[in-house]
Amino acid sequence: MTDSHGKIRTTVEIYGEQYTIVGDESHQHIREVSNLVDEKMSEIKGLNPYLDTKRLAVLTAVNIVNEYVMIKKELEDMKKKLREEE
């Protein structure tokens, strides 16, 4: 569904809760992102079953951003290497 400002509204479920995400990305993209967050939360909860939801969410964010930073650095290193080879 699209709202009056042309934004796409997608309802997803993350860790048993429903959220409506509003943005420019496709439903498919939002669902893929949401599924990854849900999977990461479940993975971390499995390793730390006594975490409350707030701590679980923060640890999930930290883990996902850590992965993002590592991938971003790897991409920058690859770009640098390609420039050096030119």
Side-chain angles (χ1 to χ4, degrees), residues 14-41:
I14 300 173
Y15 203 67
E17 298 285 331
Q18 287 208 348
Y19 298 90
T20 299
I21 310 295
V22 180
D24 298 320
E25 303 298 336
S26 69
H27 295 295
Q28 179 182 356
H29 177 82
I30 296 301
R31 286 190 184 104
E32 181 178 358
V33 169
S34 300
N35 286 338
L36 289 170
V37 172
D38 185 63
E39 288 171 11
K40 183 60 78 174
M41 286 185 81

Side-chain angles (χ1 to χ4, degrees), residues 45-73:
K45 183 66 169 188
L47 297 171
N48 303 285
Y50 301 107
L51 287 173
D52 62 33
T53 304
K54 180 179 174 183
R55 289 183 186 274
L56 177 60
V58 170
L59 286 175
T60 299
V62 169
N63 275 265
I64 290 172
V65 172
N66 178 58
E67 291 175 10
Y68 166 78
V69 168
M70 290 172 45
I71 291 168
K72 184 177 172 185
K73 183 178 179 347

